[in-house]
């Protein structure tokens, strides 16, 4: 408490010792030396005076006089010892009788005693005087000692006054300042210093009091701000919490406690990780490394354990500053309950990867599972089989029974397929009537073939839809990873190729992928490119094949046939092009092109003699039967000056089988326009006499397979074929339809058909399909032929 006063006293004493004391000691030393020198000079004078007085007594041996003079010398206070003796050592007087210690003598003065005799100055003896060794202060007189006492009193008075003044002017205000500071520290309230003066201490006290007042105001404002911040922290409808650098909870809001069910005293100081579900703790610990944004905010979603062992999904947004010199780390986190959002997200994800109709995985979900399973089989060293399942004739069900019936069929098929699989096998509906199945096993190849056979067998039993039984079959393509494919996309593609190969080979079965299918797919792609390029660059052309009257060989009409004339590869197989065009939807554009070119060719042919009434038979794909077809055909006929009655629309039984209302309406409109309808390839497929009754058929075309059989080497085949052709002719004639025989290649076939009263025929015996220029030259050979031999020669 008195350290300042002690330091002040030490400073004053130090100043006295350093400055005053050395000066005083120097003064004493100089004064003492002066007094000593004066006394020595006085003693020497006294000695010289008495020594001269001792000369006569020593000469006379007057001992009493010598004693008297020696006594006078010894009486001097500065002289401690006197000795006088003559030269003959007769007289030797000492005062006192015992000589003192020579060390006690300050100095010893010796001198010879002389006497002036008649015969001159003679030495009669010697005198020895010892001068006292005196102390420092013993040399001074009483007056001098009084002066010294006054000096010491003045110094002491000055020292005491300095101490008292220091205590009054410095120590007392400092004590009060210290008391105010201590009271502020101990009591927590701002105390002021009760001190007023016009000096520096007064200014210090005034400044301290002003500082206390300012701090008091700031504390009040700070407490108010803290209270307001605390209220905002607790009243904010969000789960707020703060953690320190050690991940311990330092504060939580009231809403946080309400939402989690904990009490504040149970969570403060606890590690936040303890409240995170165990399997999510590592994710929370790595939040700064994995999700920190440029703004310093990290985001993480974890599972949080509430009081009562309930678990919720929470989204945590955390922001804060790192610890630095003189400052602790700060953090503020907002925890939001996203359980409903997470469930909705999971539900949306399930919906996004699930087929809404069958409940199976959709294409997106299947692709995700496929990638996942490929990783698993790579780890286990297993194989992964992909089964691509496509229903046969499903489009017919949709078109004829409606989409509701089609959806019912898909659901029942999905159920049957799922029953043939193991629990861990994955099945998906990729779209339409396409399904995909994934099988993982050490030997997935054999397992896939076995399962595929079971799948095909499970669909043989009829499906009951709307009270009716439907037969559905499936074509299954199988590809194996890693034997057939190295990636997920390639595996699905290879199984798709295998499925299409199965369809081309007759459907309703299983096909394992082999490398030749890649060549087939490449060829198909090449053909599709040729079709697209041919439509752009006008490679498609209409070839015409004459249709003759079998009774007289007169040309009655022409059948327009599509050809694609590649600039480098020449004519491409039309059947392959038509099949691919019907699958990729380009058949409509091809049909429009051939229809336009064939009608234009008919207009040219009509200018020849005897061919102004020849008709044109045009094949139409089922995909071409659109409501705008009659109007388009009418516009073309009007443009080229062709009457509608000269146009024969050839359709197959497959078109009639669809029994599509749009097809019926288009056929009726074409018939009303004046066009005739020809039923192509009659007698094959699902032939039904009801077609002749239900549709406006004008011409029936006997399939070329029956025509060839008429001249077969096997009598039984020839007999049955003749009966079939005669039956078709009889029924057709009775229904008012003309008959055209296709595929006449020999004179024998010509004669047989002519004998059966078949009206018209076409085939290589008569002419191959030819482009317009070649056909115009060929038509000269058909001018009113009288014998079939001439027609045969024309081919």
């Amino acid at each position: 408490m008195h350290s300042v006063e002690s330091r002040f006293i030490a400073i004053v004493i130090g100043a006295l010792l350093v400055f005053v004391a050395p000066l005083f000691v120097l003064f004493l030393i100089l004064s003492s030396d002066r007094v000593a020198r004066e006394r020595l000079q006085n003693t020497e004078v006294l000695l010289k005076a008495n020594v001269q007085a001792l000369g006569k007594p020593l000469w006379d041996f007057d001992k009493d006089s010598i004693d008297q003079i020696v006594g006078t010398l010894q009486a001097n206070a500065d002289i401690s010892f006197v000795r006088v003796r003559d030269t003959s050592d007769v007289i030797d007087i000492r005062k006192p009788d015992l000589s003192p210690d020579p060390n006690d003598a300050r100095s010893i003065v010796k001198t010879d005693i002389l006497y002036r005799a008649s015969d001159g100055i003679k030495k009669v003896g010697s005198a020895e005087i010892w001068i006292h060794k005196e102390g420092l202060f013993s040399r001074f007189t009483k007056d001098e000692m009084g002066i010294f006492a006054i000096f010491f009193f003045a110094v002491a008075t000055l020292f005491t006054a300095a101490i008292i003044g220091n205590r009054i002017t410095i120590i007392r205000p400092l004590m009060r300042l210290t008391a105010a500071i201590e009271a502020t520290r101990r009591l927590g309230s701002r105390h002021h210093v009760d001190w007023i003066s016009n000096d520096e201490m007064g200014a210090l006290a005034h400044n301290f009091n002003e500082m206390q007042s300012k701090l008091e105001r700031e504390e009040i404002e700070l407490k108010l701000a803290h209270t307001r911040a605390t209220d905002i922290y607790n009243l904010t409808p969000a789960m707020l919490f703060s953690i320190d650098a050690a991940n311990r909870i330092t504060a939580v809001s009231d809403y946080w406690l309400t939402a989690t069910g904990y009490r504040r005293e149970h969570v403060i100081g606890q590690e936040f990780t303890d409240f995170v579900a165990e399997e999510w703790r590592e994710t929370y610990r790595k939040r700064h490394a994995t999700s920190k944004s440029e703004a310093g905010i990290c985001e993480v979603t974890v599972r949080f354990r509430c009081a009562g062992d309930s678990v919720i999904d929470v989204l945590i947004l955390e922001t804060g500053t790192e610890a630095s010199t003189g400052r602790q780390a700060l953090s503020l986190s907002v925890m939001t309950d996203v359980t409903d959002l997470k469930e909705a997200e999971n539900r949306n994800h399930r919906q996004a990867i699930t087929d809404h109709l069958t409940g199976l995985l959709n294409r997106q979900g299947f692709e995700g599972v496929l990638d996942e399973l490929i990783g698993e089989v790579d780890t286990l060293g297993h194989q992964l089989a992909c089964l691509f399942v496509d229903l046969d004739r499903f489009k017919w069900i949709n078109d004829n029974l409606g989409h509701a019936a089609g959806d019912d069929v898909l659901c029942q098929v999905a159920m049957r397929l799922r029953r043939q699989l193991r629990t861990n096998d994955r099945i998906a509906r990729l779209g339409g009537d396409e399904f995909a199945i994934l099988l993982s096993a050490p030997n997935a190849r054999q397992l896939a073939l076995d399962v595929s056979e079971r799948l095909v067998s499970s669909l043989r039993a009829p499906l009951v839809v709307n009270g009716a039984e439907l037969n559905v079959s499936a074509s299954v393509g199988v590809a194996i990873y890693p034997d057939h494919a190295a990636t997920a996309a390639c595996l699905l593609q290879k199984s798709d190729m295998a499925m299409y190969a199965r369809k081309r080979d007759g459907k309703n079965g299983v096909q394992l992928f082999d490398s030749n299918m890649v060549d087939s797919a490449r060829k198909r792609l090449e053909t599709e490119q040729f079709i697209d390029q041919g439509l752009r660059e006008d490679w498609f052309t209409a070839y015409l094949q004459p249709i003759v009257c079998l009774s007289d060989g007169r040309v009655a009409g022409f059948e327009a046939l599509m050809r694609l004339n590649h600039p480098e590869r020449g004519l491409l197989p039309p059947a392959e092009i038509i099949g691919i065009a019907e699958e990729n939807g380009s058949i409509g554009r091809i049909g429009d092109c051939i229809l336009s070119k064939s009608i234009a060719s008919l207009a040219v042919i009509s200018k020849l003699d005897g061919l102004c009434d020849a008709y044109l038979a045009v094949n139409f794909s089922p995909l071409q039967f659109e409501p705008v077809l009659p109007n388009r055909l009418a516009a073309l006929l009007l443009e080229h000056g062709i009457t509608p009655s000269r146009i024969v629309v050839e359709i197959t039984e497959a078109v009639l089988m669809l029994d599509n209302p749009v097809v019926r309406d288009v056929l009726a409109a074409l018939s009303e326009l004046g066009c005739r309808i020809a039923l192509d390839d009659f007698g094959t497929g699902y032939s039904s006499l009801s077609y002749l009754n239900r549709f406006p058929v004008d011409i029936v075309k006997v399939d070329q397979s029956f025509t060839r059989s008429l001249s077969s080497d096997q009598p039984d085949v020839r007999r049955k074929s003749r009966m079939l052709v005669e039956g078709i002719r009889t029924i057709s004639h009775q229904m008012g339809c003309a008959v055209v025989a296709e595929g006449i290649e020999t004179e024998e076939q010509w004669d047989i058909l002519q004998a059966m009263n078949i009206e018209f025929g076409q085939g290589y015996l008569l002419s191959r399909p030819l482009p317009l220029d070649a056909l115009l030259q060929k038509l000269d050979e058909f001018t009113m032929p009288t014998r079939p031999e001439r027609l045969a020669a024309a081919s």
Side-chain angles (χ1 to χ4, degrees):
M1 292 295 293
H2 304 287
S3 59
V4 174
E5 186 176 19
S6 300
R7 286 195 295 272
F8 176 78
I9 294 173
I11 291 172
V12 173
I13 294 174
L16 291 175
L17 292 176
V18 173
F19 298 104
V20 178
L23 292 175
F24 182 72
V25 172
L26 179 61
F27 172 73
L28 288 178
I29 293 173
L30 294 176
S31 297
S32 177
D33 289 343
R34 178 184 60 79
V35 172
R37 285 193 305 270
E38 289 179 354
R39 288 184 177 182
L40 182 59
Q41 291 175 0
N42 292 336
T43 302
E44 289 177 350
V45 171
L46 180 63
L47 178 61
K48 290 180 180 181
N50 288 309
V51 165
Q52 297 303 323
L54 286 173
K56 177 90 169 73
L58 284 175
W59 182 262
D60 295 334
F61 292 104
D62 185 357
K63 190 174 179 180
D64 293 334
S65 298
I66 295 172
D67 285 338
Q68 184 178 0
I69 294 171
V70 170
T72 301
L73 290 172
Q74 200 272 332
N76 193 314
D78 296 328
I79 298 175
S80 63
F81 179 69
V82 179
R83 183 182 181 184
V84 177
R85 59 181 177 175
D86 62 356
T87 55
S88 59
D89 291 332
V90 175
I91 297 173
D92 187 2
I93 298 174
R94 301 181 181 189
K95 291 290 183 177
D97 295 336
L98 297 176
S99 60
D101 189 354
N103 294 327
D104 294 334
R106 181 174 181 268
S107 62
I108 298 175
V109 179
K110 294 181 179 182
T111 185
D112 292 336
I113 302 173
L114 302 176
Y115 178 69
R116 185 181 296 279
S118 58
D119 54 356
I121 297 174
K122 298 201 183 277
K123 178 182 178 181
V124 292
S126 62
E128 182 179 341
I129 298 174
W130 292 13
I131 300 174
H132 280 297
K133 181 183 289 186
E134 299 157 338
L136 183 62
F137 294 99
S138 63
R139 300 176 183 177
F140 301 103
T141 62
K142 290 182 179 179
D143 293 337
E144 291 175 333
M145 293 302 294
I147 293 172
F148 290 154
I150 292 171
F151 174 76
F152 285 126
F153 178 77
V155 171
T157 301
L158 180 62
F159 179 77
T160 303
I163 296 298
I164 294 173
N166 178 69
R167 174 174 286 274
I168 293 173
T169 60
I170 297 177
I171 300 302
R172 184 180 297 174
L174 286 179
M175 292 289 291
R176 293 186 179 181
L177 178 62
T178 303
I181 294 174
E182 180 64 21
T184 300
R185 182 189 65 81
R186 187 175 64 256
L187 301 177
S189 59
R190 295 290 172 183
H191 286 257
H192 292 248
V193 179
D194 185 15
W195 184 266
I196 300 175
S197 63
N198 295 324
D199 54 10
E200 290 82 354
M201 297 306 298
L204 176 63
H206 176 71
N207 292 335
F208 177 81
N209 290 337
E210 285 189 348
M211 180 188 70
Q212 289 289 76
S213 298
K214 181 179 180 181
L215 291 176
E216 187 173 9
R217 290 192 302 270
E218 290 179 351
E219 282 184 355
I220 293 174
E221 293 175 357
L222 184 61
K223 289 179 180 178
L224 181 61
H226 180 266
T227 302
R228 188 181 299 112
T230 302
D231 291 342
I232 293 174
Y233 190 85
N234 287 323
L235 295 177
T236 300
M239 291 185 281
L240 306 178
F241 68 95
S242 298
I243 58 175
D244 59 15
N247 206 34
R248 292 186 298 267
I249 298 176
T250 58
V252 293
S253 65
D254 291 347
Y255 192 86
W256 191 94
L257 298 173
T258 302
T260 61
Y262 290 106
R263 298 175 62 86
R264 183 172 274 105
E265 58 270 18
H266 293 161
V267 298
I268 299 298
Q270 298 292 324
E271 282 197 25
F272 185 80
T273 314
D274 295 340
F275 299 94
V276 177
E278 187 172 356
E279 64 273 16
W280 289 89
R281 291 178 181 176
E282 193 62 28
T283 302
Y284 179 75
R285 292 189 184 100
K286 294 180 178 179
R287 65 193 184 281
H288 293 291
T290 57
S291 63
K292 196 164 186 178
S293 65
E294 295 181 358
I297 300 175
C298 71
E299 175 181 332
V300 63
T301 301
V302 296
R303 300 275 287 172
F304 184 86
R305 294 187 299 103
C306 298
D309 294 331
S310 60
V311 180
I312 61 175
D313 291 295
V314 294
L315 169 65
I316 299 176
L317 297 177
E318 178 181 337
T319 183
T321 59
E322 297 180 355
S324 60
T325 304
R327 186 181 67 185
Q328 295 182 347
L330 300 175
S331 77
L332 176 63
S333 300
V334 182
M335 191 169 76
T336 306
D337 185 356
V338 294
T339 304
D340 294 339
L341 181 63
K342 201 71 176 176
E343 290 178 357
E345 180 181 332
N346 293 334
R347 184 168 57 252
N348 292 337
H349 177 68
R350 287 193 300 270
Q351 291 176 352
I353 65 173
T354 303
D355 177 50
H356 69 281
L357 178 63
T358 61
L360 305 178
L361 292 173
N362 59 16
R363 179 177 288 274
Q364 179 182 351
F366 177 80
E367 290 174 351
V369 170
L370 180 55
D371 290 332
E372 176 184 340
L373 287 181
I374 283 182
E376 290 183 6
V377 298
D378 285 340
T379 302
L380 299 175
H382 288 181
Q383 292 180 330
L384 182 65
C386 180
L387 283 61
F388 201 106
V389 182
D390 187 89
L391 301 184
D392 303 324
R393 295 179 62 246
F394 179 74
K395 188 176 184 303
W396 183 90
I397 296 175
N398 257 350
D399 293 342
N400 291 274
L401 302 181
H403 290 282
D407 291 345
D408 193 0
V409 168
L410 291 175
C411 291
Q412 293 190 47
V413 168
M415 186 178 301
R416 291 192 183 185
L417 296 179
R418 191 157 36 191
R419 288 173 181 171
Q420 305 302 320
L421 304 178
R422 301 170 300 177
T423 305
N424 60 338
D425 294 335
R426 307 297 180 89
I427 179 172
R429 178 188 173 218
L430 302 183
D433 60 340
E434 295 178 342
F435 297 85
I437 299 170
L438 295 175
L439 307 175
S440 174
N443 184 13
R445 179 190 296 264
Q446 188 58 47
L447 175 64
L449 294 176
D450 295 341
V451 171
S452 299
E453 292 295 343
R454 293 204 306 268
L455 295 177
V456 173
S457 298
S458 68
L459 297 178
R460 287 175 183 158
L463 301 175
V464 179
V465 177
N466 295 331
E469 291 186 351
L470 292 178
N471 290 314
V472 177
S473 62
S475 299
V476 182
V478 179
I480 309 298
Y481 173 88
D483 295 352
H484 299 147
T487 63
C490 187
L491 180 64
L492 184 61
Q493 180 187 22
K494 298 295 179 59
S495 61
D496 190 16
M497 288 182 183
M499 183 273 296
Y500 274 108
R502 177 67 257 177
K503 279 190 174 294
R504 286 192 296 269
D505 291 343
K507 305 180 180 180
N508 191 22
V510 181
Q511 177 64 56
L512 183 66
F513 175 82
D514 64 56
S515 58
N516 293 331
M517 295 177 186
V518 177
D519 296 333
S520 300
R522 186 180 297 110
K523 185 177 180 181
R524 173 189 174 87
L525 177 61
E526 185 180 67
T527 302
E528 289 183 346
Q529 294 173 344
F530 289 162
I531 292 173
D532 185 62
Q533 190 174 4
L535 288 170
R536 293 196 313 269
E537 301 181 12
D538 196 25
W539 292 350
F540 285 94
T541 185
Y543 273 46
L544 302 180
Q545 185 177 33
I547 300 173
V548 301
C549 179
L550 295 181
S551 60
D552 54 13
R554 177 180 54 85
V555 175
F558 303 89
E559 180 178 3
L561 299 172
M562 181 276 300
R563 293 292 185 268
L564 195 159
N565 191 3
H566 193 278
E568 298 177 358
R569 300 194 178 187
L571 293 176
L572 301 182
E576 181 178 344
I577 293 175
I578 292 174
I580 294 176
E582 287 182 338
E583 291 179 7
N584 64 18
S586 61
I587 189 65
R589 297 168 60 195
I590 296 174
D592 292 343
C593 176
I594 299 302
L595 180 62
S596 176
K597 289 188 175 184
S598 60
I599 291 178
S601 298
L602 180 63
V604 174
I605 294 173
S606 298
K607 298 176 182 180
L608 299 179
D609 293 338
L611 295 176
C612 59
D613 294 329
Y615 71 87
L616 176 69
V618 183
N619 292 279
F620 282 85
S621 166
L623 300 178
Q624 292 180 264
F625 282 89
E626 300 174 347
V628 296
L629 178 60
N631 294 333
R632 185 185 305 129
L633 180 58
L636 288 173
L637 295 176
L638 182 63
E639 178 184 355
H640 294 283
I642 304 297
T643 59
S645 60
R646 298 179 61 190
I647 301 300
V648 174
V649 176
E650 289 196 2
I651 57 176
T652 62
E653 293 181 73
V655 176
L656 303 182
M657 279 179 58
L658 296 176
D659 198 14
N660 191 311
V662 175
V663 174
R664 288 200 303 267
D665 293 342
V666 172
L667 288 175
L670 291 172
S671 182
E672 291 177 3
L673 180 63
C675 300
R676 290 179 289 173
I677 308 299
L679 184 57
D680 196 11
D681 300 334
F682 189 81
T684 61
Y686 299 90
S687 298
S688 174
L689 297 178
S690 63
Y691 300 150
L692 302 180
N693 186 37
R694 290 161 51 198
F695 295 96
V697 178
D698 300 291
I699 299 173
V700 174
K701 301 190 73 171
V702 178
D703 187 71
Q704 59 183 346
S705 61
F706 298 131
T707 302
R708 293 194 196 98
S709 300
L710 293 176
S711 58
S712 173
D713 296 334
Q714 301 177 18
D716 189 52
V717 173
R718 293 177 63 175
R719 180 180 59 81
K720 291 180 179 180
S721 298
R722 182 184 293 269
M723 293 176 59
L724 286 172
V725 173
E726 288 179 345
I728 294 173
R729 178 211 61 197
T730 302
I731 295 173
S732 299
H733 286 174
Q734 290 180 354
M735 299 293 293
C737 300
V739 180
V740 177
E742 295 181 307
I744 302 176
E745 297 178 353
T746 66
E747 294 184 19
E748 181 183 4
Q749 294 170 358
W750 173 291
D751 294 336
I752 294 173
L753 292 169
Q754 188 180 38
M756 289 183 180
N757 198 25
I758 301 297
E759 296 97 316
F760 305 101
Q762 65 184 94
Y764 284 1
L765 175 66
L766 307 173
S767 174
R768 292 175 177 274
L770 296 173
L772 179 61
D773 294 340
L775 180 63
L776 292 176
Q777 297 176 4
K778 186 78 172 179
L779 287 177
D780 293 339
E781 302 175 5
F782 285 91
T783 305
M784 297 302 294
T786 57
R787 292 187 55 81
E789 289 83 0
R790 295 181 59 191
L791 298 177
S795 63

